[in-house]
Amino acid sequence: MAETPVVELPPAGARGAGAREPSGGSGVLEAEARPDTPEIPAAPLRSLIGYLAEHRRVLVVIVVMSLAGAGLTLLQPLLIQRIISSVGGSGSLSTAASWLVAAVLGAAVAGAIQQFLLERTAEGVVLSARRRLVSHLLRLPIAVYDTRRAGDLVSRVGSDTTMVRTALTGGLVDALGGGVVFLGSLVAMVFIDPVLLGITLAVVAVAAASVIVVSGRIQRLTRSAQDAVGRLASGVERGVSGVRTIRAAGATEREIDRVGAEATSAYDFGVRVARIGALLWPISGLAVQGSFLAVLGLGGYRVAAGVLSVADLVQFVLYLFMMLMPLGQFFGAVTTVRAALGALARIDEILAVPAEQDHEPADRRSAPPAAVRSGGVEITFTGVDFRYQADRSVLREVSFTVPRGSTTAVVGPSGAGKSTLLALVERFYDPTAGSIRMDGVDLRALPRSVVRSRIGYVEQDAPVLAGTIRDNLVLAAPAADDVRCREVLAAVDLLARVEEYPDGLDAVLGDDGAGLSGGERQRLAIARALITEAPLLLLDEPTASLDSRTEQALTAAIASVASRRTVLIVAHRLATVIHADRIVVLDRGRVAAIGTHTELLDSNDLYRQLAQHQLLA
């Protein structure tokens, strides 16, 4: 079987807010993006077009409305020219005026419809981008979360997707209709006076070239600005989630300065974007003023010379303004699209990370899924090695068996790799070498969904999600009724506490289970694992936050279910596991000894030392 690639992690950096060091003391450190890090190329325009494709039908209507408005706008100077001519006696003044009013009103109605559909489509594009990004974020391999800050990931869902919206509302579709007005005006101006048109185009060409050059800089700076916003969001998330720790340590002012520095960085990049963007306005203004002055000066001379009539000059000036107006839209569209592509690059960067696959490639599925038997499952570790980083092994040649229906404990010093064993069974990671088998079948031959459906897992930090108590309990067992919920709550000695809430099971908890004590949160997490009736229970320090009375009650509850399940429990407090069927002692990633509590006291110095320190020898 091919060796699993090492989970490569970046060199030392700041750890993400709320991120835990993977068990075994692996010291997974965070890659904190900095302004001087290599730039990731901005997203190509086809990436933006991909988001627009699903709204193509509405976009067709928007384009039709834009073209209709452009056509009616182009008709107006011609009608004005006829009105001026009719004053001299040729043509019907009332008819031309009626057509002019109709053209103005028609253009306004088409513009209103276009704007509404455009705004709605822009919101639809943002919705699609956010759904796609969130769906992908929640399917990323666990190793990705070890190296990225939560706040930065959240900012991609929020501010970056919003910038994609500006690509539409900022003039992308308007620029299409404006292009029609621009070309139509050019054609009309050719027939009126080619000489005046040549002077106009010379000024416009210089302005357009300048805008294109400047906008490329805006795209790069926008990407850097959004990275800075991501770091700011990470800093705020770190401060809010750890506010108690920060305040208790007297570090409030330092943390404010730290987040303030990130805010200043975001400000600096924003100012640089604004500085470059500010160059576009004088360029646009110079194009308008230069063209207008040239046309008035040369056009007035040609009228005086009898080459051009006053009505034609007025018509030419109106077409000039109509040509310059979409030119401004074009400048705006280039700027907003460039900025959106800078933000879109950050979205595409995450979408390019391969999601965790439920099914492995065909050559890894060497055996059919094992059937679940009564009394739990058997787990076998055979020569398991694992590395978070290429230069440091967390587990080395780990081999032992967890018999079906037994309770097996894993103990050892901090950093020995205990919790990593559970993470490997959950398939958050795969072994670098060796294999882990469930009832004789390599876990890598089973879909992750099958593996996890057979496991009740309680993490070391016992996280509780924001929402109701019921939401937390039935997270992995949505069909569980109130009777079952109360049974598991009673089993972990939490039912009386829940009944203190007026809403009972429907009581709302805050972020990270705010409203419950640390021990209560841990018991709720254990109840969430018990309610699944999974044949395998993985318990990572399940009694770490419990008092001695509750610890005894919970230990008894675990023992009561162990007869019909397999239990693999990691513990620092040996009192929790002295009655386990077998205890595995890990030391520096290796199995140092296996036996019962009594056997290990007699045969293993490390276990004896651990027991003596906890007054259990």
Side-chain angles (χ1 to χ4, degrees):
M1 181 175 295
E3 182 177 284
T4 303
V6 173
V7 181
E8 293 289 354
L9 297 171
R15 187 181 307 279
R20 291 187 298 112
E21 175 178 326
S23 48
S26 58
V28 176
L29 298 176
E30 166 151 2
E32 182 173 357
R34 292 294 173 191
D36 57 353
T37 53
E39 289 187 352
I40 296 176
L45 185 59
R46 64 176 178 272
S47 182
L48 176 60
I49 294 175
Y51 286 96
L52 298 177
E54 61 185 273
H55 303 279
R56 54 184 175 273
R57 293 184 179 179
V58 178
L59 287 173
V60 168
V61 177
I62 293 173
V63 170
V64 170
M65 290 294 101
S66 181
L67 295 178
L72 292 171
T73 301
L74 287 171
L75 186 60
Q76 294 171 26
L78 178 60
L79 294 172
I80 291 175
Q81 190 270 347
R82 290 189 177 182
I83 290 174
I84 295 174
S85 298
S86 66
V87 174
S90 61
S92 171
L93 178 61
S94 60
T95 301
S98 298
W99 278 107
L100 178 60
V101 171
V104 171
L105 293 177
V109 171
I113 296 174
Q114 172 196 340
Q115 190 62 30
F116 168 72
L117 294 177
L118 184 61
E119 293 282 351
R120 191 181 71 175
T121 302
E123 293 296 339
V125 168
V126 172
L127 175 62
S128 299
R130 285 175 176 168
R131 281 179 170 173
R132 182 181 177 189
L133 185 55
V134 169
S135 175
H136 193 74
L137 276 174
L138 296 182
R139 291 186 171 93
L140 290 175
I142 296 299
V144 174
Y145 298 102
D146 293 337
T147 59
R148 292 184 181 272
R149 301 183 71 172
D152 180 62
L153 295 176
V154 171
S155 75
R156 299 178 196 238
V157 178
S159 62
D160 289 348
T161 55
T162 300
M163 290 203 69
V164 175
R165 181 184 187 279
T166 65
L168 286 174
T169 57
L172 183 61
V173 176
D174 280 342
L176 179 61
V180 174
V181 173
F182 184 87
L183 293 176
S185 299
L186 284 180
V187 172
M189 292 162 75
V190 166
F191 287 104
I192 297 172
D193 194 321
V195 175
L196 290 180
L197 176 61
I199 296 296
T200 301
L201 291 180
V203 177
V204 169
V206 173
S210 301
V211 168
I212 292 174
V213 171
V214 171
S215 65
R217 179 64 176 162
I218 287 179
Q219 182 171 342
R220 293 188 294 272
L221 282 176
T222 299
R223 169 60 201 262
S224 297
Q226 289 302 107
D227 284 339
V229 171
R231 293 193 299 273
L232 173 60
S234 295
V236 173
E237 191 270 343
R238 161 195 160 104
V240 171
S241 63
V243 65
R244 289 176 176 81
T245 301
I246 292 169
R247 199 162 296 176
T252 301
E253 295 303 321
R254 293 196 302 275
E255 198 66 20
I256 290 173
D257 291 341
R258 175 191 175 98
V259 177
E262 299 293 2
T264 301
S265 176
Y267 165 81
D268 290 340
F269 278 111
V271 169
R272 291 171 65 183
V273 172
R275 186 182 299 126
I276 299 297
L279 294 177
L280 299 179
W281 291 107
I283 292 173
S284 177
L286 288 173
V288 172
Q289 293 179 2
S291 300
F292 182 68
L293 293 175
V295 167
L296 283 184
L298 183 58
Y301 172 80
R302 292 173 70 79
V303 169
V307 179
L308 191 66
S309 68
V310 174
D312 286 340
L313 178 59
V314 171
Q315 185 182 9
F316 188 94
V317 170
L318 289 175
Y319 276 121
L320 172 63
F321 278 115
M322 287 188 177
M323 184 187 74
L324 293 177
M325 181 172 60
L327 186 64
Q329 291 176 337
F330 169 76
F331 290 166
V334 169
T335 302
T336 55
V337 170
R338 288 281 199 176
L341 293 181
L344 192 58
R346 283 169 42 84
I347 297 175
D348 286 350
E349 177 191 356
I350 295 300
L351 294 177
V353 178
E356 181 183 78
Q357 297 299 312
D358 187 33
H359 295 279
E360 298 294 342
D363 61 344
R364 297 281 290 275
R365 297 198 300 272
S366 57
V372 178
R373 306 177 190 178
S374 61
V377 296
E378 180 183 85
I379 301 296
T380 304
F381 291 80
T382 304
V384 170
D385 288 2
F386 181 73
R387 300 193 300 272
Y388 287 107
Q389 295 173 297
D391 59 347
R392 182 178 182 185
S393 292
V394 179
L395 298 174
R396 303 176 185 85
E397 300 179 359
V398 172
S399 298
F400 66 92
T401 298
V402 182
R404 181 179 293 104
S406 70
T407 297
T408 298
V410 180
V411 301
S414 296
K418 302 183 297 297
S419 296
T420 298
L421 287 176
L422 303 190
L424 293 177
V425 176
E426 269 281 354
R427 290 207 64 197
F428 290 153
Y429 312 93
D430 284 332
T432 306
S435 66
I436 304 173
R437 297 180 176 272
M438 178 182 289
D439 286 340
V441 179
D442 194 317
L443 291 183
R444 289 172 292 193
L446 299 172
R448 283 183 169 87
S449 59
V450 171
V451 173
R452 292 168 185 168
S453 69
R454 301 177 182 180
I455 298 174
Y457 180 48
V458 179
E459 301 171 63
Q460 186 172 346
D461 290 342
V464 175
L465 307 180
T468 67
I469 295 174
R470 186 194 308 276
D471 291 339
N472 275 275
L473 276 177
V474 303
L475 187 64
D481 57 17
D482 286 7
V483 174
R484 179 60 182 153
C485 289
R486 293 178 183 278
E487 285 179 355
V488 296
L489 288 173
V492 297
D493 195 24
L494 195 58
L495 181 59
R497 175 69 177 91
V498 171
E499 290 179 339
E500 291 177 4
Y501 288 100
D503 295 329
L505 290 171
D506 294 317
V508 177
L509 303 175
D511 288 336
D512 198 26
L516 297 177
S517 68
E520 289 167 347
R521 289 197 297 270
Q522 195 156 21
R523 281 180 277 163
L524 181 57
I526 294 170
R528 184 170 58 210
L530 293 177
I531 203 171
T532 63
E533 295 288 353
L536 174 61
L537 279 181
L538 302 181
L539 306 177
D540 195 350
E541 301 285 358
T543 62
S545 301
L546 304 182
D547 57 78
S548 58
R549 184 186 67 83
T550 306
E551 179 183 9
Q552 292 176 2
L554 187 58
T555 301
I558 294 173
S560 68
V561 302
S563 60
R564 53 185 194 276
R565 307 187 195 194
T566 300
V567 178
L568 180 57
I569 180 171
V570 165
H572 274 106
R573 293 163 63 169
L574 300 186
T576 308
V577 299
I578 57 175
H579 300 298
D581 298 309
R582 60 200 332 234
I583 299 173
V584 177
V585 182
L586 276 188
D587 185 21
R588 299 180 183 180
R590 298 180 183 274
V591 175
I594 300 176
T596 65
H597 173 69
T598 303
E599 292 170 345
L600 292 173
L601 285 177
D602 293 334
S603 63
N604 185 259
D605 291 338
L606 174 59
Y607 187 84
R608 189 182 308 111
Q609 292 172 9
L610 294 173
Q612 288 173 346
H613 288 159
Q614 299 180 34
L615 305 179
L616 293 175

